[in-house]
Amino acid sequence: MKPEIIEPGGCLVGQINAPGDKSISHRVLMLASLADGESTIHGLSRGQDVKHTMEILTSLGVQLEEKDSDVLRIQGGELKEPSEKLFVGNSGTSIRLMSGMLAGLPFSVTLDGDESIRKRPMERIIEPLERMGATISCLETAGRAPFRIDAGGLKGIEYQMEVPSAQVKGCLMFAGLFATGDTTVIETTPTRTHTEELFQEVGLDVFITAPTADGFSESVTVKPGQPKPFIHKVKGDPSQAAFWAVGATILKGSEVAIKNVYTGHARDGFIGVLSRMGADITQDPVTNDLNVASSELVGTVVEETEIPGLIDEVPILAVAAACADGETHFKGLGELRVKESNRLETIVSEIGSMGMKAEISGDDLVIQGGGLTGGKVDSHGDHRIAMSCAIAGLVSSNATEISGWEAVATSYPGFIDDLNALRK
Ligand code: S3P
């Protein structure tokens, strides 16, 4: 594929529908597959990651019928043994959530993914699933995909998560649906709560304890059960809305409304950080639209406890920091090293080659504001790096050439169309 060229200038004006939330899309597809009967989903994410989840469910015998570009009908119920290994492509959410569900089913499966997935840590789900009684064999490298999950019974456990990860929590909650007894996951830093919210919506037994007095620890307990068929309208993805929010903030003369964005627990951290930096960003409490107008930014400190609530937005917040006055300090970004790329490194190398002044210190990232120049960058196969560089290119002094642009299809195939629609 040809590199994408972004010429600087202009502003962003108008309304946009953010694509359906990716995290919710994976989860509603899996729940509909387990429900006994027909479910209907509106507004799914159209990215490759969610397509991989749909393909895997089809291999497991689930019938998915697209009524039109917005509506999908799913006939769930009994899942069958697939004839081939299941391939998740680049999708960490697919492999981790799906492993929990598959560990509970009465047949064996092999899961694999692309080169990037094969490098990402899977011991964080393998270890607790084995404690629940699953038999998992890594076929090439310990703690990495590809791995086989063999059939066997699961028992509920109480598990304190070692890293704050909604994928690990979600994996164990899906496994808990097939276990004997209760499964409890304890978090020290709260992560996104889509699995809890959706389990409750489809009639599953979920108990959530409020944070303890220290304000840090909360737990979720799942009982075994089967979802009821449901109808769900997927809200707009805040992680994609963040690109337009930062773009409209840093491009003078911009005014953008991003329609119906999900900003539930641990997904709205970027709004708080941008507000602290001086952005003109508000959310309509009735429509959930995010309204953003351009403004001057100043640097801020982003604490480690805030990171799970904005984990996917760090690359685009780095662009905001590069355009701010003064220093922005992100603390505790170790988890970024094991995303689609080593994002701590690729933020610094790619946005850095567009003129951002940044330094990594341990797991912290310190950015000095001062503007961007544009240049030649590479996505490293990472959709969020590619889209962050595109937004950075709009405010740069020269053009930006982005290779590896195809990575954007992972989550936002319509990104350039939306950019062209907003650009004035
Ligand atoms: C996700 C959780 C986060 C996030 C990912 C989606 C989810 O990953 O980065 O894009 O849907 O649960 P971690 O759980 O690894 O933090």
Side-chain angles (χ1 to χ4, degrees):
M1 191 182 180
K2 282 199 318 261
E4 184 68 35
I5 312 278
I6 303 286
E7 297 290 344
C11 57
L12 302 179
V13 176
Q15 290 191 350
I16 198 114
N17 288 308
D21 185 75
K22 183 160 81 67
S23 291
I24 296 175
S25 295
H26 288 293
R27 288 163 170 84
V28 284
L29 283 166
M30 290 171 62
L31 287 169
S33 303
L34 293 175
D36 191 12
E38 186 178 279
S39 296
T40 306
I41 305 173
H42 298 258
L44 269 184
S45 159
R46 294 280 149 193
Q48 291 292 346
D49 275 9
V50 170
K51 279 214 176 85
H52 281 294
T53 287
M54 289 166 70
E55 281 163 16
I56 289 175
L57 294 173
T58 305
S59 315
L60 293 167
V62 178
Q63 282 166 30
L64 308 173
E65 190 196 349
E66 303 223 25
K67 292 314 266 181
D68 59 45
S69 62
D70 186 56
V71 183
L72 184 78
R73 296 245 161 89
I74 300 174
Q75 196 64 46
E78 208 156 309
L79 303 180
K80 67 168 178 50
E81 181 159 7
S83 50
E84 287 177 3
K85 76 176 177 184
L86 303 172
F87 186 73
V88 303
N90 190 236
S91 177
T93 312
S94 305
I95 196 163
R96 295 201 178 109
L97 291 186
M98 204 62 93
S99 294
M101 179 177 101
L102 293 166
L105 294 173
F107 48 77
S108 301
V109 289
T110 297
L111 283 153
D112 199 1
D114 70 4
E115 218 186 302
S116 151
I117 278 291
R118 282 175 165 223
K119 290 190 197 134
R120 295 179 66 183
M122 295 299 147
E123 64 273 12
R124 56 182 62 189
I125 54 156
I126 294 174
E127 191 260 323
L129 285 175
E130 285 183 335
R131 279 180 51 192
M132 291 179 79
T135 308
I136 301 180
S137 323
C138 292
L139 303 178
E140 290 184 16
T141 309
R144 298 283 182 274
F147 52 81
R148 194 178 67 241
I149 306 178
D150 284 316
L154 297 181
K155 61 176 189 313
I157 57 166
E158 187 175 293
Y159 187 73
Q160 162 119 28
M161 288 211 291
E162 282 167 17
V163 281
S165 165
Q167 292 177 353
V168 174
K169 176 173 60 173
C171 167
L172 300 182
M173 288 176 68
F174 271 99
L177 296 180
F178 300 93
T180 51
D182 293 358
T183 300
T184 298
V185 184
I186 302 163
E187 306 193 89
T188 42
T189 310
T191 61
R192 59 190 72 190
T193 48
H194 300 300
T195 318
E196 295 87 310
E197 286 161 19
L198 292 167
F199 272 30
Q200 284 175 331
E201 186 177 313
V202 302
L204 293 165
D205 267 337
V206 182
F207 303 96
I208 300 160
T209 62
T212 49
D214 58 12
F216 283 114
S217 147
E218 59 188 50
S219 76
V220 52
T221 299
V222 184
K223 290 195 180 294
Q226 184 176 24
K228 294 192 176 68
F230 59 90
I231 299 172
H232 186 93
K233 291 190 177 157
V234 181
K235 282 199 178 146
D237 194 325
S239 303
Q240 313 296 22
F243 293 109
W244 309 123
V246 171
T249 299
I250 60 181
L251 269 174
K252 281 203 176 58
S254 297
E255 197 162 352
V256 166
I258 313 150
K259 310 297 286 174
N260 192 27
V261 179
Y262 175 97
T263 48
H265 190 58
R267 293 300 300 277
D268 58 352
F270 75 96
I271 300 175
V273 170
L274 285 176
S275 302
R276 238 162 46 216
M277 294 176 80
D280 180 354
I281 179 166
T282 51
Q283 186 164 35
D284 185 309
V286 178
T287 60
N288 294 319
D289 296 355
L290 273 186
N291 297 305
V292 191
S294 57
S295 63
E296 301 292 324
L297 296 178
V298 290
T300 190
V301 177
V302 184
E303 298 294 343
E304 184 165 5
T305 48
E306 293 183 84
I307 301 302
L310 47 79
I311 185 83
D312 293 336
E313 289 70 77
V314 178
I316 191 61
L317 287 175
V319 174
C323 299
D325 190 16
E327 179 177 289
T328 298
H329 189 152
F330 293 91
K331 296 188 179 170
L333 295 181
E335 270 297 295
L336 260 66
R337 297 186 200 276
V338 290
K339 292 292 177 189
E340 286 83 331
S341 65
N342 178 339
R343 259 185 207 157
L344 196 45
E345 299 285 348
T346 50
I347 287 171
V348 173
S349 66
E350 302 315 304
I351 310 173
S353 72
M354 297 179 71
M356 178 181 74
K357 294 179 201 66
E359 249 178 45
I360 299 172
S361 162
D363 283 343
D364 291 5
L365 174 64
V366 183
I367 297 174
Q368 306 299 335
L372 293 158
T373 53
K376 285 193 176 183
V377 298
D378 189 89
S379 73
H380 294 262
D382 188 332
H383 52 141
R384 299 199 201 278
I385 294 296
M387 292 186 279
S388 299
C389 289
I391 298 295
L394 301 174
V395 285
S396 291
S397 43
N398 298 301
T400 299
E401 189 179 309
I402 308 169
S403 347
W405 182 255
E406 59 280 2
V408 168
T410 300
S411 66
Y412 202 164
F415 179 86
I416 283 292
D417 292 342
D418 284 355
L419 173 60
N420 290 335
L422 285 177
R423 207 155 177 203
K424 300 286 172 320

